Amino acid sequence: MLTTSGPAPVEVWRWTLEPGEEYPSHPHQTGVVETVSVTAGQMVLVVESTEHAVEAGQTATFNGDAPHTYRGSGTETCHLIMTVHIPPGPGSAA
């Protein structure tokens, strides 16, 4: 994981998900935006109980303040890059 500093930090994650593997995430603070880019394989992104298929070469962006789950799908390992954009805190100069 890489993290930038400053008033609006961004986390950058490189992940793999095996077929059928799930990673549920609790809602983040209001204003967090996540972007998931699949570089190989496929996955299902579940946001507020709605499933979205994301395949190699596709990107999904969603508000991270909702319940969400990442699930590997298909027959191959899913490789993805995820960014988490964290809003500036109170009193930050954006």
Side-chain angles (χ1 to χ4, degrees):
M1 176 188 69
L2 299 172
T3 305
T4 62
S5 61
V10 176
E11 297 176 355
V12 180
W13 296 79
R14 187 172 167 186
W15 270 19
T16 59
L17 292 167
E18 296 302 323
E21 179 182 2
E22 280 195 358
Y23 182 83
S25 180
H26 295 289
H28 304 295
Q29 71 188 55
T30 300
V32 169
V33 175
E34 294 193 29
T35 300
V36 178
S37 297
V38 175
T39 58
Q42 53 191 351
M43 66 170 287
V44 174
L45 173 64
V46 183
V47 181
E48 292 189 294
S49 302
T50 301
E51 296 189 358
H52 307 273
V54 187
E55 299 180 0
Q58 295 181 325
T59 297
T61 301
F62 63 98
N63 293 329
D65 57 0
H68 52 284
T69 299
Y70 309 94
R71 181 187 318 133
S73 61
T75 59
E76 302 174 13
T77 301
C78 177
H79 296 263
L80 61 105
I81 297 171
M82 176 177 52
T83 59
V84 181
H85 301 263
I86 302 166
S92 297

